[in-house]
Amino acid sequence: MLEQTTNYLFDIYQTLSREKVLLSYLGEVTPDLTNSVLKSVKNEQNPYNEKVHIKKKIYNIIVESLENIYKHFDVKEKIAAPSIFLFGAHAEHYYIISGNYVYNETGYRIKETIDELNSLDKENMRKKYRSALLQSVDENGMQQNVAGIGLIDMALKSENKLEYQFREASAGITFFTLIVKVNMN
């Protein structure tokens, strides 16, 4: 048992090192966790020493990723199905990966939204973002949820196509993975 555990741990260590994972988390995403992750990313002593505008992009994308998990995690089996979050670096870009369970119907809507965003050029994406912002406030000035506004924001900030995958987990439930990349230059 001990040897199996240490081998498993070493495999995880090698994977995290090879993939240059700077931060990883598996579990329930809560507001306290989000604050803790953001403090870690904001910390000047963190292992990535980047320009301020790139740090801001990364920070904002992490906020949106964690908010998407926290606010839109609709699977009732939540406790038995933790979410995952990774932040790391490759040669030319940083990556933010989030994964969580969603119902298939939610997954179809997310897929449609991402496919539409990936088909837009920068100007049309900005128009879509402005339109979504206007829809997000009702006539009384109250904030409303607008589907996909966080995804639009992440796509604009990353300046890359959003990558995703849906993997069937069980009847009616899918594991959704979103990969957002931020160029280092």
Side-chain angles (χ1 to χ4, degrees):
M1 175 71 178
L2 177 62
E3 185 176 334
Q4 182 181 11
T5 302
T6 57
N7 287 341
Y8 177 69
L9 185 64
F10 187 67
D11 288 343
I12 292 172
Y13 172 81
Q14 286 185 315
T15 300
L16 294 175
S17 295
R18 183 181 61 248
E19 296 299 322
K20 296 182 180 170
V21 174
L22 303 170
L23 185 65
S24 66
Y25 176 78
L26 174 69
E28 184 178 356
V29 173
T30 64
D32 287 341
L33 171 79
T34 301
N35 288 334
S36 177
V37 168
L38 295 176
K39 281 180 188 171
S40 174
V41 170
K42 219 176 185 179
N43 184 348
E44 294 298 324
Q45 303 302 318
N46 60 29
Y48 74 105
N49 186 16
E50 242 339 312
K51 298 170 192 154
V52 172
H53 75 282
I54 293 183
K55 279 187 174 182
K56 284 183 177 179
K57 286 181 180 184
I58 291 168
Y59 185 88
N60 287 330
I61 290 169
I62 289 174
V63 168
E64 288 297 335
S65 294
L66 293 175
E67 279 187 359
N68 278 343
I69 292 173
Y70 179 71
K71 289 182 177 176
H72 305 294
F73 189 80
D74 57 359
V75 175
K76 291 181 178 111
E77 299 82 1
K78 186 175 182 178
I79 293 172
S83 301
I84 188 164
F85 171 82
L86 297 172
F87 168 53
H90 278 286
E92 298 176 358
H93 63 265
Y94 292 100
Y95 62 88
I96 296 106
I97 302 175
S98 58
N100 60 289
Y101 290 95
V102 296
Y103 289 115
N104 290 347
E105 187 175 302
T106 303
Y108 297 136
R109 287 195 309 268
I110 293 170
K111 181 184 180 319
E112 285 179 6
T113 301
I114 293 174
D115 287 344
E116 180 189 0
L117 293 174
N118 284 342
S119 72
L120 298 175
D121 62 18
K122 196 172 187 175
E123 185 55 35
N124 283 319
M125 197 176 306
R126 283 187 177 145
K127 287 179 184 174
K128 186 164 183 67
Y129 184 69
R130 279 185 237 127
S131 173
L133 281 178
L134 290 173
Q135 292 173 8
S136 70
V137 179
D138 68 13
E139 65 272 356
N140 299 320
M142 300 298 291
Q143 194 76 24
Q144 299 184 64
N145 280 336
V146 175
I149 197 167
L151 291 171
I152 301 169
D153 194 29
M154 286 191 278
L156 278 170
K157 287 192 171 58
S158 78
E159 300 182 58
N160 288 296
K161 303 288 184 199
L162 299 177
E163 298 176 30
Y164 64 88
Q165 184 176 51
F166 292 93
R167 183 175 293 201
E168 186 175 332
S170 61
I173 297 175
T174 301
F175 190 78
F176 167 54
T177 302
L178 177 65
I179 302 170
V180 184
K181 295 177 180 172
V182 175
N183 297 337
M184 291 182 175
N185 297 318

